[in-house]
Amino acid sequence: MKFTLSWLRDHLDTNAGLDEITETLTRIGLEVEHVEDQAKTLSAFIVAKVVSAVQHPNADKLRVCIVDIGGDEPVQVVCGAPNARGGMKSVFSPPGTYIPSKKITIAVGEIRGVESRGMLCSAAELELSDDHNGIIDLPTDAPIGMRFSEYAKIGDPVIEINLTPNRPDATSVYGIARDLAAAGLGTLKQSPINAIKGKMPCPVEVRLDFSPDNRKLCPVFALRLIENVKNVPSPDWMQKRLKAIGLRPISALVDITNYITFDRGRPLHVFDADKISGALEVRRSKTGERLLALDGKEYEFDDSAVVIADANGVESIAGIMGGEHSGCTPETTNVLVESALWDPVNIAQTGRRLGVTSDARYRFERGVDPAFNHQGIELATRLILDICGGTPSDVRVEGNIPGVTKCVIFPWSEVKRLTGLDMAEADMRLILERLGFTFSGTGEAATVSVPSWRPDIEGKADIVEEIVRIVGLDHVQNVPLKRIVTISEPVLTTIQRRTRLAKRVLATRGLVEAYTYSFVSRAEAELFGGGQPELSLANPIAADMSDMRPSLLPGLLAASQRNFDRAAYDHALFEVGQVFKGDRPADQKIAAAAIRRGLAGQGGRGRHWSDAAKPAHVFDAKADALALLASLGVSVESMQIVAGAPAWFHPGRSGTMQFGPKSVLGHFGEIHPRVLETLGIDGVVAGFELVLDALPQPKNKTTRLKPKLVASGLQPIRRDFAFVVDAAVRADDILKTARGIDRALVAGATVFDVYEGQGIEPGKKSIGIEITLRQLEKTMTDAEIEAFSAKLVAEVAKKTGGVLRG
Amino acid sequence: MSDIETLERDLGAQIEAAGDEAALETIRIATFGKTGSITALLKTLGAMQPDERKVAGPAINGLKDRLGEALARRKAILKDAALDARLAAEAVDISLPVRESAIETGRIHPVTQTIDELTAIFTDMGFAVAEGPDIETDDFNFTKLNFPPGHPAREMHDTFFFNPKPDGERLLLRTHTSPVQVRTMLAQKPPIRVICPGRTYRCDSDQTHTPMFHQVEGLVIDKTANLGQLKWILAEFCKTFFEVPNVKMRFRPSFFPFTEPSMEVDIQCRRQDGEIRFGEGEDWLEILGCGMVHPNVLRNCNVDPDEYQGYAWGMGIDRLAMLKYGISDLRPFFEADVKWLSHYGFRPLDIPSLAGGLSQ
């Protein structure tokens, strides 16, 4: 919403200056977005006389001018304008002046060897018009040395406010003046709008063609004919204001409607009466109907818009834009003025569907003051008669102005209750009165009647807002929030704690945290076990962002390839975030996933002199997953790691972490080469994904005490064994066998060597294990150690077929 | 006696001349070994007459002791020399680079860091952290929050929708974190103090918008909550979050369907050379929207607006991170470019806390 200061002063009697007005507007909720103060911008430009203009000695198209700027000495200026001549008056900018159109500051310069101390300006350089065919030619009586803005009376500051959608009343200069008056910035000037008596009945019939339950689409429609008008250009004062707010003056009839739209927030429409055929029919549009509108575009309707039609067809998109065919032109002599009410929701929907914006739509979709409907047509009539002459008809009115006055029972204590602000009732009343509210009743609560121009006011809270915004939110004192408990108690849930911790743990492993989009392409969703129709967006913003991600891996893999393409070949990324298994709240899970690619294994990133570079592989992913689980308090020892994982993993280089087939925590491994190929990825990528919601809940502990450390003063015994087994035997089965022999005795069992090749039969492998035996009470004898070894060898042979390597 | 002197001079010279510990050991064995020269001399004592032994005993033993000392002295010198030689041989080029450790290369995303900062601040004020699903119902995202039918936000143009189900229900991606307010109020009785950080979605993609972004919502419901408290909380939050002693704030009346009265909050800042500094300057920067929870919203969530009252605020987490850490563009937040993440991300153990400071 734009307006000028002088326009505002038409409605507001105030001594306040521009700054006070703009600050107040923002303070009361009419946020000032921009102020264009041309007088300020042009303050350095002065009226000057060109005393002489002679040919520049070194340039054909330049002249050397001696300019009288009202000072003691005339100044010399080099000027390229063809119209520069001795004796003329023009506009001069001294050195140091900022030229808005050129975004430069004038300096003393030398042009082709001749000094120039300033500039003579064209209208375009001052952004006053597009005219740059020469310097401004002022009348000869223009006083030398006077500020040009003062002389030309330009510089009515333009204020633009960023209007919230709830304030249709402030789509008018009058409404803004009313708010400022309520804020104590002056007095609202109110003058009655008198009805003008018609000289004849309105000859054009109007039919509101709606079923009873659709009446709200057009509750009231007023129409008046004015005959024998002259559609001259609108007067200068009106043109200036319209131009200042960015509207192009067209003709008096059109400009008057635009003017009232901004002045009163009351959009009107004018038809050339001679181009209307028969009665005006206000109705729903029919599918396939078309209209060439005043913006030069053709619109095609479905059956949901509301239009004004005659025997020729659609003449106007109701409440949004008129048609080219019946629009007023300079030749128009008989005009039909329309003032009607339209349904805000229908206007908004029609506008969006047709993709048409207009000042009328802007107001009708917010809600135009119903009570002003007839005053609007009278105000327009007055202006038309004054500017264009003519003879008015009576006003024909179809339908009724909706006559509902909203009332709110308002306890005066409500302001204190909701804001903490302690105000006297009289002050509150005064603010509401100035905003147009009326009251009945005395005592603790009043019945407050809401003015017709405030559809946004529905209840007590709205009235509280009116009072505090006008009095100023700065008056509301900050009140410390009382603590409920003295020392904060833990408030994070298990999953929240685990999510936070998971991120830190993965980052300490050298992984870099990514946030990728929650949606992936359909193909990616399907590759990773998703792609259900209920997780597919109806209106994705792009084809590759169409489906909710079933896994974090596709997003990370896509990110990996983008990094690879930017020459970041070795990288390790992770994400902890939501994945979607279905569309219900319980189907949304928190997953943690990571990928490593190239030389970005757990040992570090890139090549290094100290060891041979080894690309990331399945065991990097396994290590990440297990470190994470252990950090989150999951008992990794009691977990099963089963070979194989879902189809997007390499079948021979992947594993599933689980407590049983029905309690799977997640998977790790190298991504299946076929999946990588589909995603356009070369090489090996290792990764894991865990669902944090699937982890067992931590046990509810009643004590913080840790169990006693069972330690022995006796040294543990270490023994190495190497077994030759079939290549398919799992190392873990040998370790489990070892541990199972005597859980109290075996303190540790780990693999220190895996060997295949020379000396080992093909299809077999040698697995070296180190066993640590715990000596609790007494030193083991050699015989006891021998007995353990023999049992181990026998058990391993029984369980895995392995034999001790000779 | 001259034999002993000769022997001593001779052996002494041999010990001094020994070049390494092995040579010295050879001398020791030749001297003190079973067939060593001193051992042989000592053996002669047994055959001597007492008088003779009285003289020869101390002389031989003295010789033995002196040679023993000489051997030990020489041995120590040789050992030191050998160690010195070994150390010299073991010298390495300590300028060789070590591997960057994982804890140096790992990074936390700015959004995670910012959420942890917000959580540190608000949990200290007694707020819990509430969450809700990204896939929401129209009812929770719009209707219960007092969005009128036909509100532009309900159009496909602004909101991501899923396809309608057979029963006509059309789920959507939440456009704000406010549905978590609704879920919280429906699930728990006042007093309520929660913040709700999370992912939100709108059909918007340009220089300053991404179709997905992060918001945090705050909600307080009790019998005394009022605007004065809300202003205090936000002022305390801004000071603590931006880590400046004072932030000048401006509360402007505004409009949101789910709050009444509604306000937008600007903070004072200085914009200079593409940088923003808070706590100084003459410019205003909008950072959040807030207000008293609309009575219709309370009613929709089974809270009696005449008994309870409350306030709520919402702000962009990505935007807070951008402002605090001087990140100029939103889009790279979700591009997972390791160069960007390594630069704008945080070290793994830079864990924000009020006791230790939000940022390091």
Side-chain angles (χ1 to χ4, degrees), chain A residues 283-546:
Chain A
R283 59 165 169 82
R284 287 269 200 195
S285 58
K286 293 170 190 154
T287 304
E289 280 186 318
R290 289 162 177 274
L291 175 73
L292 180 64
L294 283 168
D295 60 1
K297 292 182 195 154
E298 191 175 50
Y299 296 97
E300 185 174 335
F301 300 96
D302 58 14
D303 60 358
S304 67
V306 174
V307 295
I308 302 163
D310 65 0
N312 301 320
V314 176
E315 296 287 6
S316 171
I317 315 169
I320 297 178
M321 193 174 283
E324 180 74 39
H325 167 258
S326 58
C328 289
T329 66
E331 289 74 44
T332 299
T333 51
N334 300 311
V335 62
L336 281 166
V337 187
E338 164 214 318
S339 180
L341 271 184
W342 310 103
D343 176 52
V345 172
N346 182 268
I347 294 290
Q349 282 169 347
T350 301
R352 270 199 298 272
R353 196 171 302 113
L354 297 177
V356 50
T357 53
S358 70
D359 293 320
R361 173 189 161 188
Y362 181 82
R363 285 163 180 77
F364 278 119
E365 69 187 8
R366 283 166 172 75
V368 164
D369 180 5
F372 196 75
N373 195 67
H374 299 351
Q375 280 159 288
I377 208 166
E378 297 297 351
L379 188 58
T381 308
R382 182 77 268 151
L383 283 168
I384 290 170
L385 295 180
D386 287 351
I387 296 167
C388 310
T391 312
S393 77
D394 292 337
V395 176
R396 179 189 289 274
V397 179
E398 292 297 326
N400 295 299
I401 291 174
V404 208
T405 305
K406 275 183 289 185
C407 288
V408 178
I409 310 276
F410 187 69
W412 297 103
S413 59
E414 196 68 2
V415 170
K416 178 133 203 271
R417 181 173 90 104
L418 291 185
T419 70
L421 187 65
D422 214 347
M423 284 182 74
E425 185 187 317
D427 295 337
M428 296 191 268
R429 273 182 186 266
L430 184 62
I431 286 171
L432 292 176
E433 269 164 14
R434 284 174 173 170
L435 289 172
F437 292 81
T438 54
F439 313 93
S440 64
T442 51
E444 286 180 359
T447 302
V448 179
S449 301
V450 179
S452 60
W453 54 85
R454 294 300 301 269
D456 57 312
I457 306 288
E458 284 173 346
K460 293 184 287 187
D462 303 296
I463 294 177
V464 171
E465 178 173 71
E466 290 308 297
I467 294 169
V468 290
R469 81 176 173 88
I470 295 295
V471 78
L473 286 160
D474 291 345
H475 287 78
V476 175
Q477 294 301 310
N478 290 11
V479 181
L481 181 70
K482 284 203 186 80
R483 280 176 174 275
I484 296 175
V485 291
T486 321
I487 294 177
S488 321
E489 290 167 352
V491 290
L492 299 182
T493 60
T494 300
I495 187 72
Q496 287 168 347
R497 277 192 293 108
R498 282 179 164 167
T499 301
R500 283 158 62 98
L501 185 57
K503 293 176 174 192
R504 300 283 166 180
V505 169
L506 293 172
T508 61
R509 296 187 57 79
L511 293 151
V512 173
E513 188 184 13
Y515 270 58
T516 66
Y517 284 103
S518 300
F519 16 63
V520 294
S521 72
R522 164 56 71 99
E524 286 168 324
E526 283 172 349
L527 270 178
F528 289 85
Q532 302 97 300
E534 69 269 26
L535 289 175
S536 196
L537 289 169
N539 55 337
I541 200 154
D544 58 350
M545 299 172 120
S546 60

Side-chain angles (χ1 to χ4, degrees), chain A residues 460 465 515 518 538 583 609, chain B residues 97 112 161 165 201 260 306 309:
Chain A
K460 293 184 287 187
E465 178 173 71
Y515 270 58
S518 300
D583 63 3
W609 57 268
Chain B
T112 294
F161 287 97
K165 295 183 175 297
Y201 307 84
E260 188 75 36
D306 289 319
Q309 55 208 59

Side-chain angles (χ1 to χ4, degrees), chain B residues 310-327:
Chain B
Y311 42 86
W313 67 91
M315 48 197 170
I317 296 174
D318 321 274
R319 186 169 151 75
L320 285 174
M322 289 168 76
L323 292 175
K324 179 164 181 179
Y325 294 110
I327 307 172

Side-chain angles (χ1 to χ4, degrees), chain A residues 63-77:
Chain A
R63 285 183 181 76
V64 179
C65 304
I66 301 300
V67 182
D68 180 0
I69 58 171
D72 297 339
E73 287 283 317
V75 294
Q76 176 176 295
V77 173

Side-chain angles (χ1 to χ4, degrees), chain A residues 26-31 164-166 345 348-349 352 414 416-420 456 458 460-465 468-469 473-484 488-489 491-493 495-496 500 503-504 506-519 533-541 545 548-549 559 562-563 566-568 571-575 578 580 582-585 588 602-613, chain B residues 96-100 102-103 105-109 111-113 115-116 119 123-125 127-135 149-152 155-157 159-163 165 169 171 173 183 191 193 199 201-205 210-212 214 220 224-229 231-233 235 250-255 260-264 286 292 294-296 305-309 311 331 333-339 341-342 347-352:
Chain A
T26 297
R27 185 167 59 78
I28 62 178
L30 303 174
E31 185 192 5
T164 53
N166 60 324
V345 172
Q349 282 169 347
R352 270 199 298 272
E414 196 68 2
K416 178 133 203 271
R417 181 173 90 104
L418 291 185
T419 70
D456 57 312
E458 284 173 346
K460 293 184 287 187
D462 303 296
I463 294 177
V464 171
E465 178 173 71
V468 290
R469 81 176 173 88
L473 286 160
D474 291 345
H475 287 78
V476 175
Q477 294 301 310
N478 290 11
V479 181
L481 181 70
K482 284 203 186 80
R483 280 176 174 275
I484 296 175
S488 321
E489 290 167 352
V491 290
L492 299 182
T493 60
I495 187 72
Q496 287 168 347
R500 283 158 62 98
K503 293 176 174 192
R504 300 283 166 180
L506 293 172
T508 61
R509 296 187 57 79
L511 293 151
V512 173
E513 188 184 13
Y515 270 58
T516 66
Y517 284 103
S518 300
F519 16 63
E534 69 269 26
L535 289 175
S536 196
L537 289 169
N539 55 337
I541 200 154
M545 299 172 120
M548 301 313 290
R549 59 185 183 189
R562 286 196 301 271
N563 279 296
R566 291 177 194 142
H571 50 255
L573 291 168
F574 80 94
E575 182 165 6
Q578 53 276 72
F580 303 85
D583 63 3
R584 294 294 152 187
Q588 183 173 327
Q602 44 176 335
R605 190 169 55 189
R607 295 192 297 170
H608 196 254
W609 57 268
S610 65
D611 50 26
Chain B
L96 279 170
V98 294
R99 266 203 185 281
E100 266 183 317
I103 211 156
T105 54
R107 283 291 182 277
I108 288 291
H109 194 281
V111 170
T112 294
Q113 189 74 6
I115 292 177
D116 285 354
T119 308
T123 52
D124 183 68
M125 291 192 207
F127 285 77
V129 180
E131 287 158 320
D134 296 20
I135 301 177
H151 189 281
E155 298 286 319
M156 298 277 264
H157 180 69
T159 301
F160 289 111
F161 287 97
F162 294 89
N163 291 305
K165 295 183 175 297
E169 186 185 19
L171 296 173
L173 283 177
R183 288 179 178 274
R193 286 183 190 183
R199 279 191 175 187
Y201 307 84
R202 288 180 202 172
C203 294
D204 219 345
S205 188
T210 47
M212 178 187 92
H214 295 81
V220 171
T224 58
N226 65 35
L227 272 190
Q229 279 175 12
K231 284 182 69 179
W232 180 85
I233 289 176
R250 180 170 82 172
F251 291 79
R252 278 184 289 110
S254 190
F255 171 73
E260 188 75 36
S262 304
M263 309 185 283
E264 274 179 317
E286 185 188 321
M292 299 301 292
H294 198 290
N296 290 350
D306 289 319
E307 185 182 1
Y308 289 103
Q309 55 208 59
Y311 42 86
R331 288 172 299 182
F333 273 68
F334 311 119
E335 282 169 6
D337 178 348
V338 287
K339 283 190 215 75
L341 291 167
S342 296
R347 289 191 302 271
L349 297 182
D350 286 353
I351 300 174

Side-chain angles (χ1 to χ4, degrees), chain A residues 45-194:
Chain A
F45 295 85
I46 52 177
V47 176
K49 180 179 180 181
V50 181
V51 178
S52 65
V54 297
Q55 182 62 45
H56 190 293
N58 307 322
D60 286 351
K61 292 193 170 169
L62 297 178
R63 285 183 181 76
V64 179
C65 304
I66 301 300
V67 182
D68 180 0
I69 58 171
D72 297 339
E73 287 283 317
V75 294
Q76 176 176 295
V77 173
V78 175
C79 177
N83 65 337
R85 59 180 196 282
M88 79 184 289
K89 292 269 179 74
S90 189
V91 177
F92 172 75
S93 56
T97 307
Y98 179 76
I99 309 294
S101 64
K102 297 195 162 167
K103 299 189 167 59
I104 53 156
T105 300
I106 295 290
V108 176
E110 219 181 61
I111 299 171
R112 294 271 184 112
V114 176
E115 193 189 52
S116 182
R117 307 188 67 91
M119 189 170 96
L120 292 162
C121 303
S122 69
E125 278 155 350
L126 270 56
E127 293 189 321
L128 296 174
S129 78
D130 297 335
D131 184 4
H132 46 74
N133 294 320
I135 54 176
I136 295 173
D137 207 340
L138 293 175
T140 47
D141 61 356
I144 296 168
M146 190 181 195
R147 275 194 186 165
F148 172 66
S149 59
E150 217 169 298
Y151 170 75
K153 294 192 176 65
I154 47 173
D156 188 7
V158 181
I159 302 165
E160 184 172 11
I161 58 174
N162 183 12
L163 207 54
T164 53
N166 60 324
R167 292 295 306 278
D169 63 301
T171 62
S172 74
V173 183
Y174 184 81
I176 291 166
R178 178 169 46 220
D179 253 32
L180 286 169
L185 226 61
T187 318
L188 183 67
K189 295 185 197 169
Q190 301 183 64
S191 48
I193 297 167
N194 296 320

Side-chain angles (χ1 to χ4, degrees), chain B residues 74-92:
Chain B
R74 186 63 188 158
K75 185 172 180 180
I77 289 167
L78 288 175
K79 194 174 173 186
D80 280 353
L83 183 60
D84 286 346
R86 191 184 117 205
L87 293 180
E90 282 176 359
V92 296

